[in-house]
Amino acid sequence: MSKFTFPVIFGQRGLATTQQLLEAGASLSQLQHLVRSGRRILRTVYSPRPGPLTGGDLLVAASLWAGPRSVLTGLHALQVHGFAYDHEFPITSFLVPNTARARVRAGGFETVRTKRLPAPVLRDDLRIAPVERALADANRLRQLSDRHLRGVAMAILQNRRTSADRLASEIEYGRPNATGGMVEAVVDFRRGSWSVAEAELAVLVREHPDLPRMVQNPRLVTACGKRIGTPDGYFPDAGVVVQVHSRKYHDGFTDTGGDKFASTMEKDLDYQTFGIVVVPVAPTTLRDTPGTFIGKLASVVLPRLGWQSDDVLIA
């Protein structure tokens, strides 16, 4: 048997396909030896070492199995982009050209044919779909609930990882006249909401018969231009701020070791030094007991109508 050196191919984390091994000089008997020694990871993908792969290495192996033009999409692509880590889905999906064969492998991988193969984003040795396409495919492949889609879409838009126009175009490409969580996210974001909870707050305020206009995420400054803060909601005619506080998005520690959630709560004092009343609310309250909350908010806002301050301005 001739000597064979397992090839090292850039961007493949040490892995190689059957075709690449043959091109590197492997014989059929040497391939069979790799199989017997536990180094075949997937049907056409091999590792230089025996044993299972985990995490990113397994995704790279799956992309090699899916083919040279495959593009990771849906929930798992969103996770590589940095979103939707709280969600799990058993199938990892790869887009392939419409001329390729759709395949499903036991163990949780599939290829999905498409006439619109996107230009991939290269990240962590993977070709992944742009974030708006990955989100739209998570919807088409039913990998996330409607509410979760809305939440992830809002997070993507807030972090400026795509624009509302690009996301709307992707929705229209896939399903004209679509409805649901992704569409709601685009509408909410264009109205000024940065999260599902903020959007729910805005709806409650708009539907209340007596509450005045609430501005979402305004930049409040003093008369001399010093920043006061950017509250989730602000009633300029009453001097009332609404802050949606969630440990999920403010958990952890600052660069100096401080508690992020405590720091967020303490920033509310900045508003109060200017005579502004702060009304805090949790996302679960807006979801579970919206009627009770909006009644309490109205009891704070309405008696203060007519409030004015020469030192609190919307920039």
Side-chain angles (χ1 to χ4, degrees), residues 17 23 39 44 51 61 76 108-109 112 119-120 166 205 211-212 262 280 283-284:
T17 65
E23 291 173 354
R39 285 184 276 179
T44 58
H76 293 87
F109 306 111
V112 179
R166 288 204 301 271
V205 171
L211 281 171
T284 51

Side-chain angles (χ1 to χ4, degrees), residues 10-21:
F10 177 77
Q12 293 187 185
R13 302 197 182 190
L15 306 173
T17 65
T18 302
Q19 184 61 37
Q20 289 168 339
L21 292 176

Side-chain angles (χ1 to χ4, degrees), residues 39-233:
R39 285 184 276 179
R40 186 169 71 174
I41 307 303
L42 300 172
R43 183 176 179 183
T44 58
V45 183
Y46 298 78
S47 171
R49 294 169 296 278
L53 302 181
T54 59
D57 290 347
L58 185 56
L59 276 179
V60 171
S63 73
L64 294 173
W65 166 83
R69 294 186 62 193
S70 64
V71 179
L72 180 66
T73 195
L75 176 60
H76 293 87
L78 290 174
Q79 291 173 342
V80 176
H81 278 295
F83 300 96
Y85 273 102
D86 294 340
H87 309 288
E88 295 182 1
F89 195 76
I91 301 296
T92 303
S93 302
F94 291 88
L95 298 173
V96 293
N98 202 44
T99 53
R101 185 163 54 94
R103 296 182 292 162
V104 178
R105 182 191 180 278
F109 306 111
E110 69 174 357
T111 59
V112 179
R113 298 193 304 166
T114 179
K115 295 179 180 179
R116 287 194 310 119
L117 192 68
V121 177
L122 298 178
R123 184 165 298 171
D124 297 337
D125 297 322
L126 287 164
R127 297 178 302 278
I128 62 174
V131 67
E132 61 272 7
R133 176 63 182 270
L135 185 68
D137 284 339
N139 181 26
R140 295 172 191 132
L141 298 171
R142 302 185 182 279
Q143 294 177 338
L144 290 172
S145 70
D146 213 40
R147 181 178 178 82
H148 286 148
L149 277 166
R150 186 183 179 196
V152 175
M154 294 290 284
I156 289 170
L157 290 167
Q158 182 190 0
N159 283 275
R160 300 295 191 267
R161 295 291 296 276
T162 192
S163 68
D165 288 344
R166 288 204 301 271
L167 185 52
S169 294
E170 184 59 49
I171 295 170
E172 186 68 16
Y173 266 122
R175 193 175 63 181
N177 304 314
T179 60
M182 290 177 58
V183 176
E184 291 173 0
V186 172
V187 172
D188 293 336
F189 186 77
R190 284 173 169 165
R191 286 176 172 170
S193 299
W194 290 356
S195 69
V196 172
E198 289 181 24
E200 291 171 340
L201 170 64
V203 170
L204 289 173
V205 171
R206 284 198 302 270
E207 292 180 348
H208 194 280
D210 300 319
L211 281 171
R213 175 181 66 108
M214 183 186 73
V215 183
Q216 291 185 269
N217 297 294
R219 185 171 182 268
L220 302 185
V221 299
T222 65
C224 60
K226 181 181 178 181
R227 182 179 180 273
I228 300 172
T230 305
D232 299 322

Side-chain angles (χ1 to χ4, degrees), residues 247-269:
R247 276 199 173 274
K248 177 179 179 180
Y249 296 107
H250 299 100
D251 203 11
F253 299 93
T254 64
D255 294 338
T256 58
D259 185 298
K260 284 185 177 180
F261 189 72
S263 176
T264 299
M265 299 291 287
E266 289 167 5
K267 287 180 181 178
D268 289 350
L269 295 174

Side-chain angles (χ1 to χ4, degrees), residues 266-283:
E266 289 167 5
K267 287 180 181 178
D268 289 350
L269 295 174
D270 295 340
Y271 299 109
Q272 296 178 40
T273 59
F274 291 91
I276 298 173
V277 173
V278 179
V279 178
V281 62

